[in-house]
Amino acid sequence: MLKKLVFLFALLAMANAVTLRKWIASHEKACYYASADAPGKKISFYFAVQRGGNYDIDYDVEGPNNRQLFKGEAEREGDFIFTATQAGEYAFCFKNGLSTFTDKLVEFDIAVEDEKRDDDIAKREKRDEVMNSVVSIASDLHLITKFMKYFRTRENRNFATVSSTESRVWWFSALQSLSVVVVAVIQVYAIQALFTAKRTRL
């Protein structure tokens, strides 16, 4: 039983994960780093632009020795999992070069797998049903977390769209009301001028 509990806690702590939110100013480049202490480690990288502009940003991922692994321009979100080919520091950079004035809020998650894998297939098969259930639950939790991040991103973008539409409707209504008042005043003065002209002729 103790062995199962140890396995459970080890599984829950199998990844060193960091979830951050960062405002990227116009023309700013921000880089964050994760370290893999040995080749073969799984590294996951997720990001989504939550606010600002057209919800897009440039990114690039570099491995040790400044070797470029991924690069994208004007991307709204991304989700990558790759295997570290060598030990060292991996850089994850964002650049808000497309926007002249607008800052952008980026939420991102960097995780380095820290699970010790058993290379012996026979030993893997000896795990009982409880341990297999724990692995399955951990996988499901990871999937649920990804769905929650996706829906939160969609919620933020839809809320921004609703706010923008509400602001446009308000200004259009105010302009329309002002136009009605201006037209009414002009009509009053026009009718008054018409009757004044007739009296003058009489």
Side-chain angles (χ1 to χ4, degrees):
M1 182 64 180
L2 181 60
K3 184 178 180 181
K4 295 176 183 178
L5 290 175
V6 171
F7 178 79
L8 174 61
F9 285 113
L11 185 64
L12 293 176
M14 69 181 181
N16 297 321
V18 177
T19 302
L20 296 173
R21 300 183 110 196
K22 164 72 175 173
W23 281 100
I24 308 293
S26 176
H27 300 293
E28 178 187 0
K29 183 176 181 180
C31 294
Y32 298 86
Y33 302 89
S35 180
D37 55 5
K41 291 289 182 74
K42 297 285 185 182
I43 301 176
S44 65
F45 172 51
Y46 165 84
F47 74 91
V49 182
Q50 301 290 341
R51 293 182 187 176
N54 294 324
Y55 299 94
D56 55 0
I57 201 162
D58 301 337
Y59 74 92
D60 61 86
V61 180
E62 295 182 353
N65 303 321
N66 297 324
R67 186 169 59 91
Q68 191 173 78
L69 303 177
F70 301 99
K71 183 178 181 180
E73 296 181 354
E75 296 287 345
R76 293 189 169 191
E77 57 187 297
D79 192 0
F80 309 96
I81 299 177
F82 61 95
T83 303
T85 56
Q86 55 183 315
E89 200 170 56
Y90 289 78
F92 305 85
C93 298
F94 300 100
K95 184 178 180 181
N96 188 11
L98 299 174
S99 179
T100 307
F101 304 105
T102 308
D103 298 345
K104 296 179 181 178
L105 178 62
V106 180
E107 180 181 82
F108 60 97
D109 180 274
I110 302 170
V112 180
E113 182 187 52
D114 204 17
E115 180 185 9
K116 294 181 179 179
R117 297 186 175 273
D118 195 349
D119 296 331
D120 191 350
I121 299 178
K123 289 182 180 180
R124 291 186 193 177
E125 293 177 350
K126 288 181 180 179
R127 294 189 307 191
D128 59 16
E129 296 181 0
V130 175
M131 291 186 178
N132 290 331
S133 297
V134 171
V135 173
S136 177
I137 291 172
S139 177
D140 292 341
L141 284 175
H142 179 68
L143 185 61
I144 291 171
T145 302
K146 291 185 70 173
F147 276 119
M148 288 177 63
K149 290 178 181 177
Y150 171 78
F151 287 124
R152 181 169 56 197
T153 300
R154 298 301 305 172
E155 180 186 12
N156 289 336
R157 291 177 183 172
N158 291 337
F159 182 77
T161 302
V162 170
S163 299
S164 175
T165 304
E166 181 183 12
S167 176
R168 291 176 185 178
V169 169
W170 190 90
W171 283 108
F172 179 78
S173 301
L175 182 61
Q176 189 177 30
S177 301
L178 181 62
S179 300
V180 170
V181 172
V182 171
V183 170
V185 171
I186 292 174
Q187 288 178 341
V188 169
Y189 277 104
I191 293 173
Q192 185 179 8
L194 181 63
F195 280 105
T196 302
K198 286 185 178 180
R199 287 178 183 176
T200 303
R201 289 178 184 177
L202 292 175

